[in-house]
Amino acid sequence: MGMMDWFTGGKDKKEIERLTKELELIQLTKEELEYLDVKRELEAIREQFTQEQQQIEEDTKKQRTQLEKELKKERDAFDRHVKFERKAVDKEIKKKQNTILAETKKSQDEVAANTARLVELKQLIGEYDDKYLMQQHGLYEPSYEFDTSSAYKNMLDRIRSEQKDMIRSKVATSHPEQYMVDNDKKKGKEFVLDTIKLSLRAFNNECDVIIAGVKPTNIEKSADKINKAFDQINSLTDMQKISIRKEYLRAKLRELHLKHEFEMKKQAEKEEQQEIKGRMREEARVLKEIENARKKVEKEELHFRSAVTSVRAKLEEADDSEKQALLAKLAELEAKLAEVESIKDDIENREKNTRAGYVYVISNIGSFGEHVYKIGMTRRLEPLDRIRELGSASVPFTFDIHAMVFSEDAPTLENKLHHRFATERVNQVNLRKEFFKVEIEQIAKVIKEEFDETLEITLAAQAEDYHRTLQLREAAVSSV
């Protein structure tokens, strides 16, 4: 019998196993009970923690609500303060803006006024510069603009008559009504009259000399001389309280300008008459040239008509062997007759159309320098004759031809070219001088625009005599 059997008093083995299991269950329950106690304790702690957490959340929520109320109150107070400050700042800014706008407007008005004044001063300076430049180059701006020299002469006589009337009526001078010499009024009056005569005579003599010698280059200096004579003579009679009046001085200055313009107008009329005579001579040459050409072509026409008639008469009587040669001769004569008739028609057209002619562009580097061109026109049947005349003894070298344009209305084409290059005129006073300082490419462009795009224009000047002369001078210098 085993140990276990002895210990149990012989109980059944199965019973022992059952009891063992129950013991194990009793032990497990005890542990579970301990676990449940711990679990309940933990749940109590958790519940307490949850309650405390809820309390904290409620307290926090209340504090947050209170803080938000206080923050809103502070923010509202701040916003009111900011709004107040902003109004004050905006008011100050607006005040400063208004001040700045007022100052800006004032400155703009001053700038506008100064700009207008500057423009006015520039115009005045420009006018004075122009006048000075004109005087320096012998030019003159007219004070009067009469059409004829006779009108200037009439006005000149009128001003001189006015001066005489001023002297007669004793308003040319300022002088005392009563003057005493040795306590004698009569002697005083004679003294005053004699002094007036001497003053006016001296002044008039000075003015006559100055006015007689006036030129475009000394017009302003002449006026200064008259003013100086006026001051000097008046200073000599200052103690007697006798002086030439400024009205009389102005009359003399008017006479000076009128005399100058009168002489200029006479010279212009003289040049115009010379030009008219030149045009008449040119027209006479053209008419004579046309007449000679017509006589020549009519003579040739008559010759060819007679020859054609003669050949046609021979054809009627000729046999077959001669007809071929006669027909060839007839065709040749008829062709020449048609050519002559065409030339005759051209001549008759040129005779009827007084505006038909050639517009030419020529240069003379040796005489006038580079980029200076004469733009003119001629009605000659042979325009080169006119160019040869221009290059005669009056200039040291012959002209080079850049363009020779035939036009049915040559004066209009010439005027268009003159108008387009008006500011480039070499002589801005005498517009009858047809020389222009301009690039030849510009002239070519205008001619092609106004006349014919396909027209060939010679851009480079040969100037053979001029360049040969330069070579000879260089050779002479080199040999020294």
Side-chain angles (χ1 to χ4, degrees):
M1 184 177 197
M3 182 61 69
M4 183 58 72
D5 294 333
W6 180 86
F7 179 74
T8 58
K11 290 183 178 181
D12 189 74
K13 186 178 179 179
K14 291 182 180 180
E15 183 69 19
I16 292 171
E17 289 177 355
R18 184 184 66 76
L19 291 173
T20 302
K21 287 182 180 180
E22 288 179 356
L23 180 64
E24 288 175 354
L25 288 170
I26 291 169
Q27 288 176 350
L28 180 63
T29 304
K30 184 178 178 181
E31 290 175 359
E32 287 178 349
L33 288 173
E34 289 175 356
Y35 170 75
L36 290 171
D37 289 339
V38 171
K39 185 177 180 182
R40 282 194 295 271
E41 185 179 354
L42 287 173
E43 287 177 353
I45 292 169
R46 184 180 293 159
E47 184 178 358
Q48 184 180 358
F49 176 77
T50 302
Q51 289 175 355
E52 289 176 355
Q53 186 178 12
Q54 289 175 350
Q55 185 65 40
I56 290 170
E57 288 177 355
E58 288 177 1
D59 293 341
T60 302
K61 188 175 181 182
K62 288 179 181 179
Q63 290 177 358
R64 182 180 294 169
T65 303
Q66 182 65 29
L67 288 172
E68 286 177 351
K69 287 181 180 180
E70 292 178 359
L71 180 62
K72 186 175 183 304
K73 184 178 179 181
E74 290 293 331
R75 186 176 291 163
D76 291 342
F78 178 75
D79 288 343
R80 286 194 298 272
H81 177 73
V82 169
K83 190 174 182 181
F84 175 79
E85 291 293 331
R86 184 176 293 167
K87 283 183 178 178
V89 171
D90 289 345
K91 186 176 180 181
E92 186 66 25
I93 290 173
K94 189 172 183 180
K95 183 179 178 181
K96 288 183 178 180
Q97 284 179 338
N98 290 335
T99 303
I100 292 171
L101 287 172
E103 291 177 353
T104 302
K105 189 176 185 306
K106 183 180 178 182
S107 299
Q108 288 175 343
D109 292 341
E110 290 178 355
V111 169
N114 290 334
T115 303
R117 179 60 179 162
L118 181 62
V119 171
E120 182 182 350
L121 290 174
K122 283 183 177 179
Q123 289 176 345
L124 289 173
I125 290 170
E127 290 175 5
Y128 285 124
D129 286 344
D130 289 343
K131 287 182 179 179
Y132 178 76
L133 185 64
M134 290 171 72
Q135 292 165 16
Q136 291 295 311
H137 291 80
L139 303 178
Y140 174 76
E141 185 177 1
S143 299
Y144 307 89
E145 295 184 357
F146 297 128
D147 294 330
T148 62
S149 60
S150 60
Y152 278 102
K153 181 67 169 59
N154 293 336
M155 190 63 182
L156 199 56
D157 292 340
R158 179 180 169 184
I159 286 180
R160 287 170 178 167
S161 178
E162 288 176 359
Q163 293 173 17
K164 291 177 182 178
D165 290 340
M166 292 175 72
I167 294 172
R168 278 194 212 96
S169 57
K170 298 179 181 180
V171 295
T173 58
S174 294
H175 50 272
E177 294 297 326
Q178 293 184 354
Y179 197 85
M180 301 286 286
V181 174
D182 297 332
N183 293 324
D184 189 333
K185 289 183 180 180
K186 185 177 180 182
K187 287 183 178 180
K189 184 177 180 180
E190 290 175 354
F191 176 77
V192 169
L193 292 175
D194 289 342
T195 304
I196 290 171
K197 287 179 183 178
L198 287 172
S199 298
L200 288 174
R201 182 175 294 177
F203 183 62
N204 287 333
N205 287 339
E206 287 273 0
C207 290
D208 288 344
V209 173
I210 295 168
I211 291 171
V214 67
K215 297 176 182 177
T217 54
N218 68 0
I219 180 69
E220 293 300 322
K221 288 183 179 179
S222 298
D224 290 340
K225 286 180 180 179
I226 291 176
N227 281 302
K228 187 176 180 180
F230 173 81
D231 293 335
Q232 288 177 341
I233 292 171
N234 278 346
S235 67
L236 296 174
T237 58
D238 184 57
M239 292 183 63
Q240 294 83 8
K241 297 181 180 180
I242 297 172
S243 63
I244 302 169
R245 288 185 173 177
K246 287 191 175 181
E247 289 80 2
Y248 193 76
L249 169 65
R250 284 193 286 269
K252 280 297 180 183
L253 292 173
R254 288 175 64 197
E255 181 184 352
L256 170 73
H257 287 278
L258 267 169
K259 179 65 165 56
H260 172 244
E261 292 179 28
F262 170 60
E263 296 297 335
M264 287 180 65
K265 178 58 73 172
K266 283 201 305 182
Q267 179 62 28
E269 288 176 346
K270 182 179 178 182
E271 291 178 359
E272 188 176 355
Q273 288 297 319
Q274 289 175 347
E275 185 180 359
I276 290 172
K277 290 178 181 178
R279 285 203 300 265
M280 291 175 66
R281 287 193 296 270
E282 177 71 7
E283 188 66 22
R285 289 193 192 99
V286 170
L287 293 175
K288 185 176 180 180
E289 186 178 335
I290 289 174
E291 181 64 24
N292 291 337
R294 185 174 57 235
K295 287 180 179 178
K296 180 181 178 182
V297 78
E298 285 177 349
K299 184 177 180 180
E300 290 178 352
E301 181 186 22
L302 180 62
H303 168 73
F304 286 119
R305 284 189 184 280
S306 299
V308 166
T309 302
S310 176
V311 170
R312 284 175 177 171
K314 289 179 181 179
L315 270 172
E316 293 178 358
E317 299 176 358
D319 54 26
D320 293 339
S321 61
E322 295 175 338
K323 281 186 178 181
Q324 191 66 30
L326 289 172
L327 285 172
K329 183 65 173 177
L330 180 62
E332 180 185 351
L333 291 172
E334 286 178 340
K336 290 183 178 180
L337 178 60
E339 182 181 351
V340 169
E341 288 175 342
S342 177
I343 294 171
K344 183 180 178 182
D345 290 339
D346 289 340
I347 292 171
E348 290 177 350
N349 181 57
R350 291 287 298 277
E351 188 175 19
K352 293 175 183 177
N353 183 9
T354 58
R355 301 187 67 81
Y358 291 89
V359 173
Y360 56 81
V361 179
I362 58 178
S363 68
N364 195 323
I365 296 176
S367 303
F368 307 114
E370 294 185 348
H371 311 302
V372 176
Y373 300 91
K374 178 176 174 61
I375 303 174
M377 66 153 287
T378 178
R379 291 189 62 233
R380 300 274 190 94
L381 294 177
E382 291 296 333
L384 294 180
D385 291 345
R386 176 57 178 162
I387 307 303
R388 282 190 285 269
E389 286 179 4
L390 292 171
S392 62
S394 59
V395 289
F397 299 98
T398 56
F399 282 89
D400 285 294
I401 301 172
H402 296 270
M404 186 68 70
V405 185
F406 177 77
S407 172
E408 294 291 340
D409 191 358
T412 297
L413 178 58
E414 181 194 37
N415 288 335
K416 284 181 178 178
L417 290 168
H418 287 181
H419 179 72
R420 289 286 289 273
F421 301 113
T423 56
E424 280 75 32
R425 278 185 177 274
V426 175
N427 188 335
Q428 291 287 335
V429 178
N430 190 343
L431 302 184
R432 290 182 290 275
K433 305 297 183 181
E434 302 170 330
F435 289 90
F436 302 83
K437 191 171 182 62
V438 65
E439 299 292 336
I440 185 61
E441 290 83 2
Q442 293 177 266
I443 300 175
K445 181 181 177 182
V446 176
I447 291 177
K448 289 182 177 182
E449 287 175 355
E450 298 292 344
F451 186 75
D452 184 0
E453 181 64 32
T454 62
L455 187 70
E456 291 294 329
I457 295 176
T458 304
L459 300 180
Q462 296 296 321
E464 294 180 359
D465 291 350
Y466 172 65
H467 291 301
R468 180 59 181 156
T469 299
L470 292 181
Q471 291 173 356
L472 292 173
R473 285 178 180 173
E474 290 175 0
V477 171
S478 301
S479 63
V480 175

